[in-house]
Every structure is written in structure tokens, then in C-alpha cells.
Amino acid sequence: MNGSILIVDDEKGQREILTMILQGAGYDTAEAAGVREALALLAKREFDLILTDLKMQGQSGLELLEQVTLDDPQQCVILMTAHGSIDSAVGAMKRGAFDYLEKPLERENLLLTLKRAFERIALVRENRVLQKRVAEIQRIPSIIG
């Protein structure tokens, strides 16, 4: 398995297509129809990556991004939109999004973006492990020899 992805989109067809593509590529997926449902799922389990639509009924993908990164600034979030603009892409990246994809999504571009995201996730995890090891080494009392 390549990792876990939460797909958040208010369009059922889009969620189903993404689920089919991502599961076919070896990812573990879960779906949410909106921000509230996504936050409920996130309270129950962790996901390596969140793939969310920008414009949805109720709350937007940017609001989800902000709420998720408050809890975990390292959470990897990729935004998708059919209504892309340079300003919204720059705003999403400034708020901590890993990437910004325009719909309709091209399968190869999506999988390449996910590959890059999971490489970043692996580096972040490795960094956390190394920081813990350094902290443990620094706790060893001074040895006089």
C-alpha cells in the first residue's frame, strides 16, 4: 500500500472516479462529501494526505485546509478546482497547500503529484524521527572520561 488519502468533494461522481484511480494505484482511500464529514473522519483516523475540492457546498476546501493545518501544520493537503486562477492558487499555497490541481484532472498528472507529495511526507516523518533521536542523545548526562 502506498499510503492513505482522504478524498473530499461534494460531487459524488468525482469522488468515485478518484477512488477508483487511487485504489487502482495502490492507495487506501476514504471519501467525504464536505468539510464537516471530512473533519469527523479525521477525528477518527489519520490520513497521510487530503485531496479536497476548493469550491463545495457549505464550507470550502480552503477552510478545511486552515482547520486541518491548525491541528497538524505538517498535514499534506492538495486542492482541486474547476475554477482555477493564479490568485487562488497562490493563496492556497501561502496557506500551506502542497499543490493545486485544475479539473478535469489528468490521471498521470494526479499520480505524479501524489508521488511527490508522498516523498515529502516520508521526508517529514524521517525528520521527526531524527529530531527525536537527537533530543534523546542530548539528554545523556555529561560523561567525564
Side-chain angles (χ1 to χ4, degrees):
M1 179 169 36
N2 292 331
S4 60
I5 300 175
L6 175 59
I7 301 166
V8 186
D9 198 316
D10 57 349
E11 296 177 27
K12 185 177 185 343
Q14 185 71 29
R15 289 193 315 268
E16 290 173 350
I17 290 168
L18 287 170
T19 296
M20 187 175 68
I21 291 169
L22 298 178
Q23 286 180 351
Y27 294 102
D28 174 32
T29 64
E31 298 178 20
V35 174
R36 286 186 195 157
E37 189 178 332
L39 292 173
L41 281 170
L42 288 165
K44 294 178 187 173
R45 92 176 245 216
E46 286 186 30
F47 292 91
D48 297 318
L49 185 137
I50 300 170
L51 184 61
T52 182
D53 193 10
L54 179 64
K55 296 191 186 247
M56 295 182 283
Q57 297 289 332
Q59 293 178 294
S60 73
L62 282 178
E63 291 172 290
L64 175 62
L65 170 67
E66 289 174 356
Q67 291 181 19
V68 165
T69 54
L70 280 176
D71 294 334
D72 181 8
Q74 300 298 327
Q75 178 67 60
C76 194
V77 179
I78 297 175
L79 290 165
M80 312 173 287
T81 186
H83 314 286
S85 72
I86 293 173
D87 290 339
S88 62
V90 169
M93 302 302 271
K94 283 184 178 179
R95 291 182 178 159
F98 175 77
D99 208 339
Y100 185 93
L101 301 173
E102 288 191 49
K103 291 180 181 178
L105 300 177
E106 293 180 22
R107 182 182 183 279
E108 294 306 315
N109 187 35
L110 171 64
L111 294 177
L112 181 61
T113 301
L114 292 176
K115 181 181 176 196
R116 285 189 5 253
F118 276 96
E119 287 171 354
R120 177 186 171 266
I121 291 166
L123 288 172
V124 167
R125 286 183 179 154
E126 182 180 358
N127 190 3
R128 287 180 181 169
V129 168
L130 292 173
Q131 286 177 346
K132 286 181 184 178
R133 287 186 184 163
V134 167
E136 289 171 3
I137 291 170
Q138 290 177 343
R139 290 188 205 141
I140 297 174
S142 300
I143 300 174
I144 301 174

